[in-house]
Amino acid sequence: MRNAYVYLMPKELTAAQAEKRIRSLIADIRHHDELYYSEDRPEITDHDYDLLFNELKALENQFPELVLPDSPTQRVGGEALDKFEKAKHRSPMLSLQNSFSEEDLLAFDQRIKKFLDDEKNIEYFCEPKLDGLAIELIYENGTLISALTRGDGTTGEVVTSNIKTIKTIPLKLKKAQYPIFEVRGEILILKQDFMSLNEAQQEKGKNTFANPRNAAAGTVRQLDPKISADRPLCMFSYAPGVIEGKTFKTQQHFIGSLADLKLPVLRSANITEIKKSLQSIRPTDKNFFKAPMTAICKNINEAIEYYRLLQEFRHNLPFEIDGVVIKVNEYTLQNQLGFVARSPRWAMAAKFEPEKATTVVSDIIVQVGRTGALTPVAIMEPVKVGGVTVSNATLHNQDEIDRKDVRIGDTVFVHRAGDVIPEIIEVNLSKRKKSSKPFKLPKTCPTCKETVVQPEGEVVLRCINPACPSVIREGLKHFVSRKAMNIDKLGDKIIEQFCDADLVKTYSDLYHIKKSDILNLERQGEKSAQNIIDSIEASKNPTLQRFIYSLGIRFVGEQTARILALRFGSIEGVVAASREELQDVNDIGPKVAESIVQTFTKKAFIREIEKLQKYGVHIQNPKRSTSVKNSLIKGKNIVITGTLPMERGAIKELILSHGGKSAGSVSKKTDYVLAGESSGSKLDKAQELGIPVLTWSDFEELIGK
Ligand code: IVH
């Protein structure tokens, strides 16, 4: 890593000097962006990059007239730069004809046979219709040179830098002999990643996404590739664009060749294998790509069977689909069949019944969460959607209620966003009662009646009364939850009983509770009371990270808790950390640091931690100093790549806490490369340089886990 620049204090500069410096900073930052995002070989550390960026921002603040429209500062937040470059597709990206029934599919097969004037069975290649964003990757002489969205089919947007952040997309093809190799596919976010992305968005106080498709599309169209890099995009390829230097006999052959070229594809099998595979796969399966999901079908009946199977098991898949695509397998037949209007005659999208249901909003209630946020929730007459009965749906905030104009008594359409979260799509206005009135959130907390506030820049209303019974109750539910103190016998209902009976007000009260107190409550017998006491007792030795997470500090989720634990080593260490020290930690920004500092300035909060310890909570600190002495990674340079069982920031902290170092790119100075699943160019580089590659379990062994 070289030192990239000389820092000049902005106030020392004249406007002319400032302009010169701004231009040079912009050029430098672009250069480093290119190295980082496109070539995966940064020359400077993230910290040095931030310094360059901050200097540019400081200068632009001082000389606002010198802010250039293409300055990298204008991309952050995605407001000022509102355009991607456009490019024409070599061959247009067309759409598919849709069908909604098995009869339509039989008719499709008949049409094909009639057109070809041949009664012989047609072989079909059947694929899931992936519900994401269509993309075209263009490789020239084996190098990925651009990625275009579908756009209007003729012209798409150039989103190359964002697409290059997807680790499973090769930047170079193994065989570079094709002058032009265009491949089309879908960009997706897996259901599970979507849930974690939304949790992380919430943790950061940002807006959540309605469904994985929106999240994927929003991410691909982010002007700042740093944001895409942080989000879990993936891709599956399914169709050729213009290809020079190779021809394919069948779709099956094409997909097989893509797999050989290490382009991401779904595996194929015959219909019997597919059935087994679909039955056994689970949406959270990390190895799902090993399970075949595309089928070679001997005739239309097998294709229809595939359609039925996918409809039945779609909820088992790790990504969302909205139907299946049935393609004539033979490319010579495809060519003979050609196109009608803007769709191929040789393919059909067989859509599933949209999983939408209609019901009535019987009430809108307002919940107060552990952070005091007021959340309106629509209570609906129970209705089945996607195999699950749904009876309530969050309406998020007042903006969302206004946008959809949902009112009590309305008839609404509901679906499950991301296949999981119930969501009201829209109101059936024709059924609205004349007497209905728009719903407004209250100006006072529905629980404690204190006036609510709307913090600047936020859409939510908050009750800021720390003694609000709802805030206390929800805080306790969080404290005892599985990922926190894990007091499994204290379910939500019991916490509510405890609160109603005034048995507990604070976390530490839980450790003070007596069996006789519990026996005084309704529906609590000797056995259940003893179970509760035992499970409270069993929670007394939490790890430091669990303990930090349990405290329910705003913006401190599991990941941040783990990082804090590793960096500061004890609760006293975290409490004593200054704003600057906190911000110095990987992944902790000013907002999170501020929230932590604010929390620990409250005397009552510190007293509460002391009380917990006094009542027997014994925090297990991560082993640090002893292990550093003997650590096998002490002084070693370790580069992390691929998907690993822990987040990047936490792994970096773990390495640091064992006396090691972690750099962003592989060089001769690297001692080890810690490689997870779908490791890309860094792993190649390590192998090239002969650097030892560690699996996760090798790494755990080295740090003595
Ligand atoms: S093949 C000539 N295969 O559906 C069309 N498309 O309506 C070639 N899609 O924009 C497309 N899964 O985004 C094909 N397995 C699949 C697909 C698929 C989803 C989408 C794609 C395209 C749209 C066509």
Side-chain angles (χ1 to χ4, degrees), residues 358-360 408-413 427-434 436:
T358 151
T359 183
V360 173
I408 297 170
D410 273 350
T411 299
V412 291
F413 295 106
V427 174
N428 183 346
L429 289 174
S430 67
K431 295 206 171 168
R432 175 169 281 170
K433 295 200 187 72
K434 281 219 177 68
S436 87

Side-chain angles (χ1 to χ4, degrees), residues 93-98 127-135 150 184-186 238-239 251 322 325 327 339 342-344 346-347 349:
M93 285 178 80
L94 304 177
S95 55
L96 294 166
Q97 312 173 63
N98 288 328
E127 305 169 2
K129 187 165 190 307
L130 305 169
D131 197 8
L133 180 83
I135 198 86
R150 181 169 182 270
R184 295 168 180 181
E186 204 85 355
Y238 49 61
Q251 172 72 359
D322 58 348
V325 182
K327 301 173 178 175
F339 295 85
R342 294 187 58 76
S343 311
W346 45 263

Side-chain angles (χ1 to χ4, degrees), residues 94-107:
L94 304 177
S95 55
L96 294 166
Q97 312 173 63
N98 288 328
S99 74
F100 292 93
S101 68
E102 294 180 5
E103 290 78 63
D104 284 354
L105 293 179
L106 288 170

